Amino acid sequence: MGVDLEKLNPEQREGAAHLEGPLLVLAGAGTGKTRVITYRIARLIESGAAPDRILAVTFTNKAAGEMRRRIEELAPGKGALVWAYTFHSFCARVLRQHHEALGLPKTFTIYDQSDQKKLVGESMKELGLEDQKSKASLYVSLISRAKDDLLDAGSYEIHAMTSIDQSRQIAAKIYRVYQKKIDAAGALDFGDLLLKACQLLRDHAAVRQQWQEHFTHLLVDEYQDTNHAQYVLTKTLAARHKNVCVVGDDDQSIYSWRGANIRNILEFEKDFPNAKVVTLERNYRSTGRILDAAGLVIQHNKTRKPKKLWTQAAPGDEVRVQELPNESEEATWVVRRIQDEATAGRSFKESAVFYRTNAQSRSFEEALRRARIPYKIVGAMRFYERKEIKDALAYARVVVNRRDWVSLSRIVNCPPRGLGTKSLELAEAYALEHGLSFVDAVWAHGQIPGLSPKAHGAFDELTKTFESLRESVETLPAGGAMALILEASGYWRWIESELETDPEAAGRLANLQELLNAVKEYDDRQKLEGRQTSLSTYLEEIALQTDLDAYDETQPAVTLMTVHLAKGLEYPVVFLTGLEEGLFPIGGGNATADDLEEERRLCYVGITRARERLTMTYAATRRLFGQVYASLPSRFILEAKLFAGSRGDVRPSAVPGTAAVRASVAGFRNGQRVKHPQFGRGVVNEVSGSGETMKVTVRFDDGRVAKLLARYAPLEPA
């Protein structure tokens, strides 16, 4: 029995039946692209194509394995012969086969990110850059990105010379030394797999012709996520037969920050002028109303291929929009709705909560723990398990209990104090010899033989800091104590000093601020209940809350994740949270047009994960950097036409609209009294920018401060 294409809809069938020549399949969310891919490959095999001359490239090993399984079902005995790989695994296979051409040992090692970081650290030491050791992650990232752009060490050095970014110039020096070390070790990192494969095909004509001739058909999934190296590989391998099929959705291109180039899919027809284009628009996942919301949002993007998702399914429930007073109430409200779903018979695993940044998980984690609802975080650590949070709590625990040697060991040289491995080993040896704990040895550092004056000074400063903190926090509430600890320890300043050089520093700082928010909320909650609060009582509560024995992880659990990680997944019930200007989209009025388009694509991805019910939430106020700021609903809510009079629970006055824009035309001035329908009356403190980018900072009479985009802010003269 042949491959039955009648099981496909007309558009899917059109894509699966196109066997020769270039093909672009624009597959909207939930339109069944995997069926098209697998049926097309099975149909190729049925029509006489050799399965071992078909290359299908995916972005995960799991997806590659699943593709092989499905093809084997359709083409028994042959499907398993198809080359189904990730780009990196395919390149590794090619490089092992042709290792001699590049002077590589056949048994070359592939280094992971931790190996890279260690090697970068050694390179920095050789270059006398030990003072920048904390930036190793940044330089790993810059070197990896350079390789994805097909820049070897020499090329990147020339490239960096023209850059005003000093970190790129330093990275270029590190890259040269790093590459010598990795080459000497007979190893490749992930970036090398792509870079050296491209170099191999470029510089060795016989090898290039061999592979171009071998693969009669090439298929690339998730083409909108390809970087420059992957783009070059695709074009090179397809140059002989031109039988290249790329599948993807430009509306789901959300990884520019890691090198993905949306132009690869948008300009496919320029690379292959005679390409056939098939657009999949029939959605098999979501209700009509969910698709309507997604379509209304994404149509505001100018850089896209036109497409409109539709379904034969029922319209379904209204898409709900809910305003909450703050992020804590937002989390509590969402958890109550999850409980309602459970009461109605749904499993917890059918609900998912999405947010824009990892730091937002904290309030949802706490609300779920209070409700005794099991949850899991996809692709990220639990809030209280993140390094910077564990470091901060370790400081607090030593302040409260000096005998806590585990906590002291964690942060004794964090931030770096010049206490090297030798100094710590001498302290540990002294403790062992005299029957002391590590803590006691640190406090008695003056008695440790062999310690350098620098080490003595570092230990002395550390112990004095802890003694001073112990006295200071005794009379402070938990929030004040934690803030003082982060300041006096130098930990906050250390993270803050890395903002301009370490791409991860901003996230760590946001998490620390979330910790301070959590402690302040604890203080407020205890005060309302008439209880005294202290650092020790807070640490006890946290210890009890984070006890993972509270629930069985094998049981169905609510899923928490960033919107980025939700791509490719689906859930019956989705809560898309934190939809506020400046948070989602990040940057708000300060973002570039390209940034806003990517944020909009990210929102589209979030919306289209929902099968049956979608709820979008935002907080009227959010605690940021120790202050409570007023928030405005995201422009995406407006674009989706989700406001009173249409659907949802948002009050018209709370949504940026044309009336607000008209009201802002006249402009605002410092000292002017204004009123806001949601936040009340206040005074303009600052006006910056002009036209569409004008921002107005208002201090409201209740003490709240808000920085508002004038074109969206429903402000009027008071």
Side-chain angles (χ1 to χ4, degrees):
M1 187 176 72
V3 179
D4 186 6
L5 297 186
E6 292 304 312
K7 293 181 177 179
L8 308 180
N9 70 37
E11 292 76 26
Q12 291 174 332
R13 194 155 56 244
E14 188 180 5
H18 183 83
L19 304 183
E20 301 297 320
L23 170 66
L24 168 62
V25 179
L26 289 170
T31 57
K33 68 166 182 159
T34 305
R35 283 174 67 83
V36 175
I37 293 169
T38 53
Y39 270 80
R40 182 175 185 271
I41 293 173
R43 184 72 182 86
L44 281 169
I45 295 171
E46 185 182 60
S47 65
D52 63 343
R53 298 183 70 183
I54 300 171
L55 173 61
V57 184
T58 68
F59 268 75
T60 67
N61 290 309
K62 183 180 178 182
E66 177 65 13
M67 187 178 293
R68 285 193 207 96
R69 186 188 66 78
R70 293 197 183 191
I71 297 168
E72 181 64 20
E73 287 179 355
L74 294 169
K78 296 181 178 179
L81 299 175
V82 172
W83 286 54
Y85 286 92
T86 66
F87 273 108
H88 290 93
S89 60
F90 169 74
C91 290
R93 178 166 176 176
V94 171
L95 291 172
R96 290 211 190 273
Q97 187 168 330
H98 302 280
H99 63 98
E100 291 179 344
L102 294 170
L104 291 169
K106 189 173 183 178
T107 57
F108 61 77
T109 305
I110 299 174
Y111 280 175
D112 62 17
Q113 195 168 31
S114 63
D115 298 320
Q116 286 180 267
K117 192 172 179 179
K118 183 178 180 180
L119 213 54
V120 163
E122 291 178 6
S123 303
M124 293 172 71
K125 186 177 180 180
E126 186 173 313
L127 291 165
L129 296 169
E130 292 97 331
D131 60 325
Q132 298 201 41
K133 190 176 179 181
S134 60
K135 299 173 189 175
S137 295
L138 169 67
Y139 298 128
V140 169
S141 176
L142 289 173
I143 292 169
S144 296
R145 180 61 62 83
K147 292 184 177 185
D148 288 342
D149 289 335
L150 297 181
L151 297 171
D152 59 17
S155 302
Y156 188 68
E157 199 161 24
I158 297 169
H159 176 78
M161 288 172 61
T162 63
S163 174
I164 60 171
D165 187 348
Q166 191 178 7
S167 62
R168 293 183 185 276
Q169 296 171 14
I170 296 170
K173 296 176 182 175
I174 297 169
Y175 187 176
R176 188 172 287 281
V177 177
Y178 167 89
Q179 199 60 43
K180 285 181 181 176
K181 289 182 179 295
I182 201 170
D183 289 345
L188 303 179
D189 60 26
F190 268 52
D192 279 329
L193 293 172
L194 300 177
L195 172 62
K196 290 188 180 294
C198 285
Q199 290 174 339
L200 175 72
L201 297 175
R202 181 194 67 197
D203 299 339
H204 299 269
V207 176
R208 181 174 64 252
Q209 290 166 11
Q210 175 190 331
W211 289 106
Q212 288 176 339
E213 183 61 36
H214 180 84
F215 292 119
T216 59
H217 292 85
L218 171 63
L219 184 143
V220 182
D221 193 14
E222 303 287 1
Y223 194 62
Q224 78 279 350
D225 293 332
T226 50
N227 58 33
H228 181 62
Q230 292 161 340
Y231 165 78
V232 169
L233 274 170
T234 302
K235 278 197 71 178
T236 302
L237 291 170
R240 169 70 177 85
H241 295 286
K242 302 287 196 302
N243 295 326
V244 55
C245 168
V246 301
V247 183
D249 183 6
D250 52 301
D251 289 335
Q252 297 185 71
S253 179
I254 57 174
Y255 295 120
S256 66
W257 49 275
R258 68 181 191 194
N261 188 348
I262 192 174
R263 295 287 173 189
N264 293 349
I265 192 168
L266 292 176
E267 298 179 1
F268 180 79
E269 294 155 273
K270 290 184 180 178
D271 294 325
F272 298 92
N274 62 331
K276 181 179 181 61
V277 180
V278 174
T279 305
L280 306 183
E281 296 175 304
R282 182 178 175 182
N283 179 280
Y284 294 89
R285 177 187 299 154
S286 306
T287 66
R289 287 193 171 103
I290 291 170
L291 295 181
D292 287 347
L296 287 166
V297 170
I298 201 63
Q299 71 179 16
H300 285 78
N301 274 4
K302 296 177 181 177
T303 310
R304 65 185 293 263
K305 298 273 190 180
K307 66 188 84 65
K308 181 177 173 59
L309 298 184
W310 62 278
T311 181
Q312 289 187 338
D317 295 338
E318 299 279 356
V319 176
R320 185 172 188 178
V321 175
Q322 183 67 45
E323 174 194 277
L324 284 309
N326 52 56
E327 67 269 30
S328 179
E329 293 287 339
E330 178 186 42
T332 300
W333 186 89
V334 167
V335 169
R336 284 178 184 150
R337 302 293 79 74
I338 291 171
Q339 288 175 314
D340 292 344
E341 294 287 349
T343 302
R346 287 194 191 273
S347 168
F348 286 131
K349 69 179 182 182
E350 295 183 76
S351 293
V353 180
F354 302 155
Y355 34 78
R356 180 62 182 82
T357 66
N358 275 314
Q360 292 167 257
S361 77
R362 193 268 306 169
S363 53
F364 293 104
E365 289 183 66
E366 292 189 347
L368 286 161
R369 282 198 302 271
R370 286 197 298 270
R372 299 183 179 275
I373 294 175
Y375 67 91
K376 60 183 178 183
I377 300 179
V378 176
M381 291 178 285
R382 293 173 180 271
F383 182 83
Y384 289 102
E385 292 174 357
R386 293 168 188 162
K387 181 186 181 304
E388 58 274 14
I389 303 303
K390 289 176 77 73
D391 288 349
L393 293 176
Y395 270 105
R397 290 184 179 116
V398 177
V399 169
V400 171
N401 176 16
R402 205 188 84 173
R403 297 177 64 182
D404 188 342
W405 66 270
V406 172
S407 293
L408 180 63
S409 301
R410 180 180 181 89
I411 45 82
V412 66
N413 200 38
C414 187
R417 299 184 172 86
L419 291 168
T421 305
K422 185 180 177 182
S423 300
L424 298 177
E425 285 176 350
L426 286 170
E428 290 171 353
Y430 181 83
L432 187 64
E433 184 181 348
H434 293 82
L436 302 173
S437 71
F438 179 69
V439 174
D440 291 330
V442 169
W443 254 259
H445 62 89
Q447 308 300 316
I448 301 175
L451 276 180
S452 67
K454 184 180 179 182
H456 278 300
F459 277 135
D460 193 54
E461 184 181 347
L462 181 65
T463 55
K464 285 179 177 176
T465 298
F466 275 118
E467 294 298 338
S468 173
L469 281 169
R470 184 173 291 111
E471 293 176 6
S472 300
V473 305
E474 284 180 354
T475 58
L476 291 175
M482 187 63 74
L484 180 62
I485 287 168
L486 287 174
E487 178 61 32
S489 66
Y491 193 85
W492 183 279
R493 286 195 304 277
W494 177 50
I495 302 295
E496 204 169 37
S497 69
E498 297 189 311
L499 280 172
E500 294 185 2
T501 55
D502 187 348
E504 297 176 2
R508 290 200 292 269
L509 206 61
N511 288 334
L512 288 173
Q513 185 57 59
E514 274 300 301
L515 176 64
L516 292 179
N517 294 346
V519 187
K520 183 63 170 64
E521 288 174 11
Y522 167 79
D523 284 343
D524 294 343
R525 195 164 61 248
Q526 294 295 99
K527 188 177 179 181
L528 281 173
E529 295 173 1
R531 298 183 193 150
Q532 290 291 321
T533 169
S534 68
L535 188 61
S536 60
T537 59
Y538 174 72
L539 291 173
E540 180 179 313
E541 173 160 305
I542 288 301
L544 294 172
Q545 278 191 356
T546 55
D547 185 358
L548 299 183
D549 293 331
Y551 65 88
D552 184 356
E553 291 240 37
T554 65
Q555 296 301 307
V558 174
T559 301
L560 306 181
M561 69 179 82
T562 63
V563 191
H564 275 104
L565 293 172
K567 189 167 170 288
L569 303 175
E570 58 183 66
Y571 298 88
V573 180
V574 166
F575 297 89
L576 191 56
T577 67
L579 279 156
E580 300 142 33
E581 283 293 305
L583 180 59
F584 197 1
I586 280 183
N590 294 321
T592 66
D594 286 346
D595 290 340
L596 281 174
E597 292 220 344
E598 179 138 334
E599 289 288 300
R600 190 171 283 111
R601 291 193 292 270
L602 189 59
C603 182
Y604 172 84
V605 166
I607 291 172
T608 54
R609 299 311 93 193
R611 293 210 301 261
E612 299 171 29
R613 291 188 185 174
L614 172 67
T615 300
M616 305 165 81
T617 67
Y618 68 95
T621 63
R622 192 172 289 273
R623 192 184 296 271
L624 297 168
F625 304 105
Q627 290 190 351
V628 176
Y629 288 88
S631 305
L632 285 174
S634 168
R635 67 190 69 198
F636 302 148
I637 293 174
L638 176 67
E639 290 171 359
K641 301 187 185 301
L642 298 174
F643 48 83
S646 174
R647 53 184 83 130
D649 302 319
V650 177
R651 300 192 298 273
S653 61
V655 178
T658 55
V661 176
R662 286 196 301 271
S664 70
V665 169
F668 299 95
R669 64 183 186 278
N670 289 351
Q672 181 181 1
R673 291 284 296 173
V674 293
K675 61 182 180 182
H676 188 283
Q678 185 177 349
F679 308 125
R681 297 174 184 271
V683 177
V684 175
N685 277 3
E686 184 185 354
V687 179
S688 60
S690 61
E692 293 192 348
T693 62
M694 179 189 287
K695 298 180 187 67
V696 185
T697 303
V698 181
R699 180 173 291 279
F700 291 98
D701 294 348
D702 63 1
R704 290 184 290 188
V705 177
K707 194 169 191 176
L708 308 170
L709 197 61
R711 67 188 292 246
Y712 288 143
L715 288 174
E716 298 177 5

